[in-house]
Amino acid sequence: MKKVKVTLVKSKIGHPETQKRTLVALGLGRMNSSKEHTVTPQIEGMIAKVAHLLKVEEI
């Protein structure tokens, strides 16, 4: 399975509540926090929804 490391690089302040909840679902709470996920269609969709706030790296 492919894995990705997502890092929150921009603040969630001032963004819609749905995007904030998506970040929480990805496990990202604070700036520069990182989390590794296996790539599934659900994770890809969440990353696409908040891609402007994230840095995504393949592992």
Side-chain angles (χ1 to χ4, degrees), residues 31-47:
M31 291 283 296
N32 297 316
S33 61
S34 297
K35 189 82 174 191
E36 291 182 10
H37 293 282
T38 56
V39 177
T40 63
Q42 294 83 7
I43 296 295
E44 286 178 342
M46 286 193 276
I47 290 171

Side-chain angles (χ1 to χ4, degrees), residues 6-52:
V6 291
T7 305
L8 182 61
V9 294
K10 288 191 178 177
S11 176
K12 59 186 174 182
I13 295 173
H15 290 87
E17 186 65 28
T18 56
Q19 291 180 5
K20 292 178 186 179
R21 289 181 183 172
T22 302
L23 291 171
V24 171
L26 285 170
L28 304 172
R30 297 179 177 208
M31 291 283 296
N32 297 316
S33 61
S34 297
K35 189 82 174 191
E36 291 182 10
H37 293 282
T38 56
V39 177
T40 63
Q42 294 83 7
I43 296 295
E44 286 178 342
M46 286 193 276
I47 290 171
K49 189 172 183 179
V50 291
H52 58 286

